[in-house]
């Protein structure tokens, strides 16, 4: 008598284990195939959440700011600013205004301070002195 | 209204500064030729020996002018009529003291001063104020 199980019983158990090992992966493969990898619309709840890609399609829509930036990037580049007549019009107005301000200011200052002194009478023989002389 | 309110300080500043106006003081200068009354001697045309005259102004304003030699009315005519000396100023209040000092040498040191005259004129808002000043003999001079 041998203490080991009979060869026929050992063979049966090994066959059952091997069958399970082979069968279980085959049963699980379809679920893996349907797993949410980001490109599927499946909402299977038992899959791992994909945080990198939102499922809400509205979040992926282009925003108005994106459109403005895109439009700005696509805006045609015009001539240099110094070739625009508006630049020269404004620059000319600024120069003319500055000159007028300086001239007017000095004239106003001169007027406030008495203006021109009266010319010395020739009969006085250059004997005029004082303010403005 | 806001623009007007902003302009008000500027207008106030201009008004506070005021507009200056020239006032002219025409001083007619004569030399005293009455020797017995502190004047220059007519004999020898004493006024004709004067080389330099300096008019100074003090009081409400200040200034000075040096006249001569051989220019601006010097040498003084023998009749003693020197003519008008004009002083321009913004002063229109207070007193202006005109002092005429004459020297018988071009070095205007005190020992060469022979004539002097002073006139105090009340400043006025008038454009031209006329007055007269008489120069008397004060010393023998340095010549």
């Amino acid at each position: 008598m041998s203490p080991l199980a009979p060869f026929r019983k050992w063979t049966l158990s090994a066959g059952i284990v091997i069958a399970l090992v082979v069968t279980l992966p085959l049963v699980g493969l379809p679920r893996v195939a349907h797993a949410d990898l980001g490109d599927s619309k499946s909402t299977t709840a038992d899959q791992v959440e994909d945080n990198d890609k939102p499922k809400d399609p509205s979040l992926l829509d282009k925003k108005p700011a994106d459109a403005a930036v895109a439009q700005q990037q696509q805006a045609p580049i015009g001539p240099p600013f110094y070739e625009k007549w508006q630049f020269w019009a404004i620059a000319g107005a600024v120069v003319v205004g500055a000159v007028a301000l300086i001239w007017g200011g000095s004239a106003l200052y001169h007027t406030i301070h008495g203006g021109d002194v009266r010319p010395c009478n020739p009969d006085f023989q250059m004997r005029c002195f004082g303010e403005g002389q | 209204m806001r623009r007007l309110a902003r302009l008000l300080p500027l207008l106030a500043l201009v008004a506070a500064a005021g507009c200056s106006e020239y006032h002219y003081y025409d001083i007619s200068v004569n030399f005293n030729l009455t020797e017995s009354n502190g004047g220059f001697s007519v004999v020898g045309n004493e006024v004709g020996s004067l080389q330099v005259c300096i008019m100074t102004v003090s009081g409400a304003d200040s200034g000075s002018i040096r006249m001569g030699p051989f220019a601006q009315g010097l040498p003084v005519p023998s009749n003693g009529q020197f003519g008008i000396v004009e002083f321009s100023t913004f002063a229109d209040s207070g007193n202006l003291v005109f002092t005429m000092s004459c020297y018988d040498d071009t070095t205007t040191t005190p020992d060469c001063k022979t004539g002097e005259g002073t006139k105090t004129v009340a400043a006025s808002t008038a454009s031209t104020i006329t007055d007269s000043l008489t120069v008397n003999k004060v010393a023998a001079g340095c010549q």
Side-chain angles (χ1 to χ4, degrees):
Chain A
M1 286 294 290
S2 173
L4 298 175
F7 176 75
R8 192 165 56 93
K9 285 185 179 180
W10 182 86
T11 303
L12 182 61
S13 299
I16 291 170
V17 169
I18 290 171
L20 286 175
V21 168
V22 172
T23 305
L24 282 174
L26 292 177
V27 172
L29 276 177
R31 294 180 181 272
V32 172
H34 291 93
D36 186 5
L37 299 177
D39 55 354
S40 172
K41 292 183 180 178
S42 173
T43 57
T44 307
D46 56 352
Q47 296 297 315
V48 176
E49 290 290 335
D50 182 6
N51 293 326
D52 293 336
K53 188 156 187 171
K55 295 182 175 63
D56 186 358
S58 64
L59 296 175
L60 296 174
D61 292 342
K62 289 186 176 179
K63 303 294 186 294
D66 298 335
V69 171
Q71 186 178 7
Q72 190 174 7
Q73 289 176 345
Q74 294 174 356
I77 300 173
F81 67 92
Y82 53 80
E83 289 185 0
K84 294 182 178 179
W85 68 268
Q86 292 93 337
F87 168 75
W88 290 109
I90 295 173
V94 169
V95 170
V96 170
V99 171
L101 186 66
I102 294 171
W103 181 83
S106 61
L108 178 64
Y109 179 86
H110 182 67
T111 301
I112 288 175
H113 288 79
D116 293 327
V117 69
R118 185 168 71 188
C120 190
N121 192 322
D123 293 340
F124 299 166
Q125 302 180 64
M126 303 295 290
R127 294 182 299 226
C128 298
F129 69 112
E131 200 75 48
Q133 299 289 345
Chain B
M1 286 299 291
R2 287 186 177 180
R3 289 183 177 179
L4 183 62
R6 289 176 183 174
L7 284 175
L8 278 177
L10 180 62
L11 295 174
L13 183 65
V14 172
C19 293
S20 301
E21 184 181 354
Y22 282 111
H23 303 282
Y24 302 93
Y25 292 82
D26 291 353
I27 309 298
S28 179
V29 178
N30 301 300
F31 285 83
N32 182 4
L33 299 181
T34 307
E35 190 174 5
S36 60
N37 195 23
F40 293 88
S41 172
V42 178
V43 179
N45 189 21
E46 198 171 26
V47 291
S49 63
L50 298 174
Q51 298 291 309
V52 173
C53 288
I54 297 175
M55 178 176 275
T56 59
V57 180
S58 60
D61 199 354
S62 62
S64 68
I65 182 172
R66 177 186 174 110
M67 297 162 282
F70 304 106
Q72 296 162 296
L74 287 160
V76 178
S78 57
N79 63 2
Q81 303 294 315
F82 185 72
I84 293 175
V85 180
E86 185 174 78
F87 177 67
S88 56
T89 178
F90 294 136
D92 55 5
S93 63
N95 289 322
L96 291 169
V97 180
F98 293 86
T99 302
M100 183 86 157
S101 301
C102 293
Y103 304 82
D104 64 354
D105 194 273
T106 55
T107 57
T108 54
T109 53
D111 60 315
C112 293
K113 185 164 75 173
T114 59
E116 187 178 75
T118 300
K119 188 63 175 278
T120 299
V121 181
S124 163
T125 57
S127 176
T128 302
I129 300 97
T130 58
D131 213 317
S132 63
L133 183 152
T134 300
V135 179
N136 296 306
K137 186 174 180 180
V138 295
C142 59
Q143 293 299 319

